[in-house]
């Protein structure tokens, strides 16, 4: 959380341009999601649907980071460079849409169903509000915003 506090201090000292509002929203959502994963790690170390979400989120983020770095090396003045860029952007969109959209929704449904069936209503409510709603906004921000 130190980096979030540092960003707010930089914004206060240097103004709005030092830390733009959309970036701060991104950081706040990212850290909220990270903190709400701690109870899952403790109480559900072997739960398949949770770890499926964790793996998919990490895989999709790593894929997106690697592809975004690779795109800097493409020569967009050539036809093959433009074609590679199109293929990479389209593949990244579909992998992100699958991982942060379809897979996330499917696994979240199973986790919420498990909480409801086992009678953990308080845990269900807290994690639903803190994790799935906030992370849903985060996924929307990551998945839809860049392509809009």
């Amino acid at each position: 959380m130190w980096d979030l506090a540092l960003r707010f201090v930089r914004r206060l000292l240097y103004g709005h341009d030092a830390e733009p509002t959309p970036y701060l929203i991104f950081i706040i959502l990212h850290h909220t999601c990270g903190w709400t994963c701690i109870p899952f790690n403790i109480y559900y170390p072997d739960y398949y649907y949770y770890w499926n979400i964790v793996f998919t989120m990490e895989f999709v983020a790593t894929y997106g980071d690697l592809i975004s770095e690779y795109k800097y090396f493409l020569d967009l003045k050539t036809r093959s460079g433009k074609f590679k860029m199109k293929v990479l952007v389209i593949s990244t969109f579909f992998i992100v849409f699958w991982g942060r959209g379809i897979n996330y929704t499917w696994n979240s449904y199973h986790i919420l169903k498990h909480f409801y069936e086992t009678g953990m209503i308080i845990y269900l409510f807290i994690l639903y509000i803190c994790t799935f709603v906030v992370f849903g906004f985060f996924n929307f921000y990551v998945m839809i915003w860049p392509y809009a």
Side-chain angles (χ1 to χ4, degrees), residues 64-132:
D65 287 344
L66 290 174
I67 294 302
S68 68
E69 293 299 322
Y70 175 71
K71 288 188 296 189
Y72 287 114
F73 294 103
L74 294 177
D75 183 14
L76 296 179
K77 294 178 182 172
T78 65
R79 191 172 186 166
S80 66
K82 289 179 184 177
F83 178 75
K84 287 178 186 177
M85 176 68 90
K86 289 178 185 177
V87 169
L88 292 172
V89 168
I90 290 169
S91 70
T92 302
F93 172 77
F94 282 112
I95 287 177
V96 169
F97 183 75
W98 168 77
R100 294 189 177 263
I102 297 168
N103 188 52
Y104 176 78
T105 304
W106 178 256
N107 288 312
S108 298
Y109 165 76
H110 283 287
I111 291 171
L112 293 173
K113 186 175 87 169
H114 172 74
F115 286 151
Y116 181 76
E117 289 173 352
T118 57
M120 300 185 73
I121 302 300
I122 301 292
Y123 204 57
L124 169 73
F125 178 73
I126 292 170
L127 284 176
Y128 179 74
I129 297 299
C130 293
T131 305
F132 297 120

Side-chain angles (χ1 to χ4, degrees), residues 6-8 10-11 15-24 27:
L6 177 66
R7 294 184 193 291
F8 277 110
R10 284 183 56 195
R11 186 176 175 130
H16 184 274
D17 293 335
E19 299 293 338
T21 302
Y23 186 67
L24 284 177
I27 294 294

